[in-house]
Amino acid sequence: MSNTTLMMIKPDALENGHIGNILEKVTSAGFRIKALKLTQLTVNDAESFYRVHKERPFFGELVNFMTRGPIVAAILEKENAVSDFRTLIGSTNPAEAAEGTLRKLYASSMGENAVHGSDSDENAAIEASFYFSQRERF
Ligand code: ATP
Ligand code: MG
């Protein structure tokens, strides 16, 4: 899985109509879409996906946000996918994100930051399995 990463387009970006723009920027940057779905996380799903943050003060807010509407999940493939995708999305806080990054363009705050990208090859594999069966991957 070292050339793949897991993307989520978060509820705020869907509410604001940015799915098409984000997918266009992702594919223009050289990422190939290997799996793709529109889905909605339950509270259990979101608590499990972000379990590393469960002791953080923003955890409740994060779970509320991530479950309030549908998201897009995708497996993306490219050389150095994890690192290159983190560069494309920009800093967690959109106020600190570089010009042209997805969070600079489409995110409104630290909590509501439009896009997720896996932070390691190991987590990319775990997160891909969270969303997709083998027959949903192409
Ligand atoms: P993601 O995992 O969603 O790609 P990230 O890796 O840039 O984001 P993490 O540190 O993993 O950042 O935090 C996970 C998510 O928790 C952030 O994307 C953001 O939505 C939320 N979050 C992180 N820090 C804060 C904070 N200080 N206040 C509010 N929400 C936060
Ligand atoms: Mg993270």
Side-chain angles (χ1 to χ4, degrees), residues 10 50 53 58 61-62 86 92 103 110-111 113 115-117:
K10 298 187 181 183
Y50 281 113
H53 297 305
F58 58 81
E61 185 190 327
L62 175 60
R86 300 276 296 183
T92 308
R103 283 170 169 164
M110 183 94 161
N113 59 8
V115 189
H116 161 82

Side-chain angles (χ1 to χ4, degrees), residues 58-130:
F58 58 81
F59 187 66
E61 185 190 327
L62 175 60
V63 170
N64 279 339
F65 165 58
M66 288 303 297
T67 57
R68 82 177 183 210
I71 60 130
V72 170
I75 298 174
L76 304 177
E77 180 183 74
K78 184 181 184 296
E79 256 180 57
N80 298 315
V82 164
S83 159
D84 285 3
F85 192 64
R86 300 276 296 183
T87 301
L88 180 67
I89 70 182
S91 300
T92 308
N93 184 351
E96 292 165 9
E99 286 302 323
T101 59
L102 297 179
R103 283 170 169 164
K104 182 71 171 188
L105 289 166
Y106 302 118
S108 55
S109 69
M110 183 94 161
E112 303 203 1
N113 59 8
V115 189
H116 161 82
S118 307
D119 61 9
S120 66
D121 290 342
E122 185 191 2
N123 283 334
I126 292 168
E127 293 173 4
S129 298
F130 181 90

Side-chain angles (χ1 to χ4, degrees), residues 7-52:
M7 167 178 80
M8 292 188 287
I9 305 177
K10 298 187 181 183
D12 59 327
L14 270 71
E15 290 160 8
N16 295 323
H18 295 316
I19 295 180
N21 290 330
I22 290 172
L23 289 177
E24 195 285 320
K25 294 225 176 279
V26 167
T27 53
S28 290
F31 293 90
R32 294 173 294 279
I33 296 173
K34 307 297 285 184
L36 183 69
K37 69 171 62 164
L38 189 64
T39 186
Q40 184 161 359
L41 295 172
T42 64
V43 168
N44 272 348
D45 291 334
E47 286 177 350
S48 166
F49 192 92
Y50 281 113
R51 62 190 166 278
V52 296

